[in-house]
Amino acid sequence: MCGIIGYTGRGGHEAAPILLRGLSRLEYRGYDSAGLSVALGPGRGLVTRKLAGRVGALRELCERLPAHGSSGIAHTRWATHGAPTARNAHPHSDCHDRIALVHNGIVENAEVLRAALTQSGHCFASDTDTEVLAHLIEEASGDTLEERVIIALGHVVGTYGLAVLSTDEPGKIVVARQGSPVLLGIGKDEYLVASDASAILEHTRSVVYLDDGDIAVLTPDGYQVIDRSAQVQERAVDALAWDLEAIELGGHAHFMHKEIAEQPETIRSTLRGRLMGDGSVARLNGLNLSPSECAELRRITIVACGTSWHAGLVGRQIIEDLAQIPVAVEYASEYRYRKPVPHSGDGNGSTLTIAISQSGETADTLEAMRAARATGSRVVGLVNVVGSTIAREADGGIYLHAGPEIGVASTKAFTSQIVALALLGGYLGAQRGMPSAVADELVCGLSRLPDLVAQTLELEPEVQELAGRFAEAHNALYLGRGVNLPVALEGALKLKEISYVHAEGYPAAEMKHGPIALIDDEMPVVFVAPHDAVYHKVVSNMHEVRARGGRILAVTTQGNGELHGLVDHVLRVPATMPLLSPVVTVLPLQLLAYHTAVLRGCDVDRPRNLAKSVTVE
Ligand code: F6R
């Protein structure tokens, strides 16, 4: 959701090209409008360039109308309040263009503040909630920009990651965080701020993650973090583990394609150093859950959104099967507004809440995790982005180590989430009497996955051919059962979000309770049907579709020759332990969505209306 970056330095670098490069790395967080402001130097004011459109268009504008200066801020927007127009693009200014600011988040009391500011003579130039912040800072009295920002924020209800420039103190950037991720980049004679590490990686690997309530002051000479009472706060400097290669296309046409192809390696990385051949299945040090705590667990709740929620559904079956603990999987956005039943704390065992999130910043997942903690539950995170808010607030967790996921449609995070959940299920099972033969099968199954994934990806040319059929369709139905029902849901989500072909995922046996009415020879029906305990049931569902003239694509297990005549196309994936099969069955569906979107001329990495990392509710 919206990307922000700021830069100040005394190494003689121009800010604008640095900001533009950073923005293009952030574009996956929002891409309906973009803008930047640069401080021209003492007494020379600020210059702002902004427009509705992509970062590329902003770059062209800045080539025609350069903005010279060594400090500045920039923004790429995913609209919440106000249409995606040039006037609503960030940065926003006060009445006299002495302040420029970029904002990620929502000012919830913007209407009230706007009315009060208008009454006291302020003129507004946009329809955004953000603009009130610039006028509040203008209105505030204080000797320094940070003092004025602190006073202004005292009136604000909502969330923000904020970077502010002022003509009075060129070279200084004031940053604030409340509920929206912000980190500082600490370079040599240069300091940066960004909503996301990928924007600053080419400048520095030393970062400071801000906490909610922090205010940071960056100048070309250094940085300081203070709280709302201007008390200095010590914040650790962390090292980023990602390298630049990880955030570049590396010869692929799209990040989504690169990330699909990376999965043998990302799964290897999720497993690295964690698999144990001694019956304990996994070493999960970061989980902070002792063997006796595992043994006492009475129930687990998984909270997540979107693709991560689908991974949670797979995780439910894995954990229930291996560890015999009842698991509920909740949409984080729903869970946070229910009244979750408090953890009884009666000595009969405890509850565990698992927040699954690639970004670690999804607002609903974060709030659901906080709501669960308020009931007395222990909370752990299954997160990809190191240092993200969910990772930092959880009592423990498992990092996916899948590397940065930049394609808006999540792919490699999904398979790593399932692998991490399998490690967790095996770890819990091992403490709770799981037979050692199952432990061995799981360890063996997990260690083979990277190779099986690599083999499955060789189906790409075949899938690419099939994509033509889907590119012409208006609707598609994805059906699966058991551990592969979430794969059907995920396949449908992938198709609709990047190719805009309407797709529905459904439990195969539920089809005859309604969706079967949709079937005709126009609509492709995808069955996810590897050889497992429910395979023959799913084949019966195929017959039902076939009898009504439906066109079937089946994803099944290698060696299965019996679907001949029943389905139009078969994609065969390698055999795995059934509980792990979603890691391979989902791959052709990711590729199918990708190639369908390419054939339809869609912007795969920037699907319309979407953005990576939903930091507003
Ligand atoms: C779909 C997709 C989204 C995310 C969802 C949760 O391809 O990417 O559905 O899965 O927004 O995001 P995270 O996992 O970052 O919490």
Side-chain angles (χ1 to χ4, degrees):
M1 262 334 70
C2 302
I4 63 177
I5 177 168
Y7 173 88
T8 184
R10 63 182 157 92
H13 298 296
E14 289 275 340
I18 293 171
L19 297 173
L20 286 163
R21 268 204 312 281
L23 276 192
S24 54
R25 303 243 188 243
L26 289 174
E27 213 173 9
Y28 69 121
R29 295 183 69 110
Y31 32 82
D32 57 40
S33 46
L36 59 76
S37 293
V38 168
L40 298 177
R44 298 182 44 226
L46 303 171
V47 62
T48 295
R49 306 274 180 250
K50 58 185 189 174
L51 43 69
R54 298 278 167 94
V55 174
L58 179 66
R59 183 175 293 112
E60 280 167 29
L61 178 65
C62 292
E63 277 162 14
R64 272 186 283 121
L65 299 170
H68 298 294
S70 58
S71 61
I73 55 176
H75 188 269
T76 174
R77 180 167 186 248
W78 185 85
T80 54
H81 291 54
T85 57
R87 68 195 289 268
N88 288 337
H90 298 218
H92 288 286
S93 300
D94 61 323
C95 296
H96 301 100
D97 291 333
R98 301 182 67 81
I99 301 286
L101 66 81
V102 291
H103 169 222
N104 183 14
I106 292 181
V107 180
E108 286 165 17
N109 58 341
E111 285 311 312
V112 179
L113 293 172
R114 180 188 274 254
L117 287 159
T118 307
Q119 210 166 33
S120 53
H122 288 262
C123 293
F124 281 77
S126 78
D127 313 314
T128 64
D129 55 330
T130 298
E131 194 185 344
V132 297
L133 298 169
H135 293 277
L136 283 172
I137 297 168
E138 178 180 20
E139 190 77 6
S141 54
D143 292 336
T144 61
L145 181 59
E146 56 273 28
E147 282 176 27
R148 294 165 68 197
V149 169
I150 290 172
I151 293 168
L153 292 178
H155 299 281
V156 171
V157 178
T159 54
Y160 43 82
L162 201 66
V164 191
L165 271 184
S166 160
T167 50
D168 295 337
E169 296 173 84
K172 180 186 273 187
I173 300 174
V174 174
V175 177
R177 175 193 160 131
Q178 183 64 45
S180 263
V182 182
L183 52 85
L184 309 181
I186 313 303
K188 190 171 171 326
D189 293 335
E190 58 182 7
Y191 298 88
L192 298 103
V193 51
S195 49
D196 177 323
S198 56
I200 60 172
L201 197 55
E202 64 188 86
H203 297 275
T204 178
R205 278 160 192 279
S206 302
V207 295
V208 172
Y209 296 103
L210 295 187
D211 287 339
D212 279 350
D214 281 353
I215 308 289
V217 183
L218 311 187
T219 68
D221 301 316
Y223 74 98
Q224 192 169 54
V225 182
I226 56 176
D227 66 11
R228 297 291 179 76
S229 318
Q231 296 301 306
V232 174
Q233 302 296 301
E234 292 303 327
R235 295 281 172 261
V237 179
D238 287 306
L240 288 176
W242 296 344
D243 52 27
L244 209 49
E245 221 173 69
I247 55 170
E248 296 194 323
L249 278 167
H252 291 265
H254 301 97
F255 280 107
M256 182 181 179
H257 192 260
K258 179 185 182 214
E259 288 157 9
I260 291 173
E262 276 174 353
Q263 288 174 102
E265 196 40 51
T266 51
I267 290 170
R268 207 167 268 126
S269 176
T270 306
L271 291 171
R272 190 163 292 125
R274 288 173 165 160
L275 272 184
M276 302 295 285
D278 61 358
S280 63
V281 178
R283 177 169 47 204
L284 299 172
N285 295 341
L287 200 57
N288 295 331
L289 212 55
S290 69
S292 64
E293 287 168 328
C294 293
E296 279 171 12
L297 278 179
R298 206 175 39 178
R299 64 188 160 109
I300 290 179
T301 302
I302 292 176
V303 292
C305 300
T307 290
S308 297
W309 184 78
H310 295 156
L313 293 176
V314 178
R316 171 170 69 193
Q317 302 200 37
I318 295 176
I319 295 170
E320 288 190 342
D321 213 83
L322 299 177
Q324 304 289 303
I325 306 171
V327 180
V329 186
E330 303 268 5
Y331 284 116
S333 52
E334 292 295 319
Y335 178 86
R336 61 179 287 195
Y337 287 114
R338 284 219 311 277
K339 290 199 171 57
V341 180
H343 163 52
S344 63
D346 57 5
N348 289 329
S350 58
T351 61
L352 177 71
T353 300
I354 305 172
I356 306 180
S357 175
Q358 187 285 128
S359 61
E361 301 292 352
T362 300
D364 284 324
T365 308
L366 177 61
E367 287 306 326
M369 181 177 100
R370 288 173 177 160
R373 172 175 280 139
T375 69
S377 173
R378 174 192 285 268
V379 296
V380 297
L382 234 84
V383 169
N384 192 32
V385 179
V386 174
S388 55
T389 310
I390 291 175
R392 288 188 301 142
E393 283 197 17
D395 301 319
I398 307 175
Y399 275 125
L400 303 182
H401 297 310
E405 191 179 67
I406 293 173
V408 167
S410 184
T411 52
K412 64 177 180 175
F414 179 71
T415 46
S416 280
Q417 285 164 343
I418 296 172
V419 168
L421 284 160
L423 287 169
L424 177 61
Y427 176 78
L428 295 174
Q431 316 294 336
R432 298 170 64 95
M434 178 175 68
S436 60
V438 179
D440 293 345
E441 188 190 0
L442 181 64
V443 171
C444 172
L446 283 167
S447 59
R448 290 178 61 223
L449 272 181
D451 290 340
L452 299 186
V453 166
Q455 264 182 48
T456 311
L457 291 173
E458 288 170 13
L459 288 170
E460 181 163 9
E462 230 176 296
V463 176
Q464 194 168 359
E465 254 177 60
L466 291 174
R469 171 86 189 89
F470 283 74
E472 285 162 13
H474 297 291
N475 298 290
L477 190 58
Y478 285 67
L479 302 171
R481 281 186 92 158
V483 81
N484 280 288
L485 165 60
V487 174
L489 303 180
E490 175 62 6
L493 175 62
K494 288 289 91 93
L495 188 73
K496 67 186 140 195
E497 71 178 324
I498 59 166
S499 73
Y500 320 139
V501 174
H502 169 248
E504 205 171 336
Y506 226 75
E510 281 292 303
M511 174 191 61
K512 44 189 173 305
H513 299 285
I516 199 166
L518 294 169
I519 288 167
D520 59 19
D521 60 4
E522 295 282 300
M523 184 166 72
V525 182
V526 179
F527 276 93
V528 190
H531 249 296
D532 59 13
V534 288
Y535 170 75
H536 291 289
K537 307 280 176 201
V538 179
V539 172
S540 304
N541 302 134
M542 291 183 199
H543 281 284
E544 291 155 9
V545 170
R546 193 65 179 178
R548 285 152 186 89
R551 310 282 299 273
I552 300 177
L553 163 62
V555 176
T556 190
T557 311
Q558 275 170 9
N560 179 2
E562 67 183 35
L563 294 177
H564 190 67
L566 175 60
V567 307
D568 299 278
H569 303 282
V570 192
L571 293 168
R572 293 187 177 82
V573 299
T576 54
M577 182 181 185
L579 280 178
L580 301 179
S581 63
V583 174
V584 289
T585 53
V586 76
L587 304 172
L589 306 190
Q590 294 173 344
L591 287 166
L592 182 64
Y594 172 77
H595 285 291
T596 304
V598 170
L599 282 175
R600 287 170 62 90
C602 300
D603 191 345
V604 173
D605 283 336
R606 297 180 192 85
R608 70 182 177 213
N609 305 335
L610 286 171
K612 192 96 180 149
S613 189
V614 184
T615 55
V616 294
E617 66 169 293

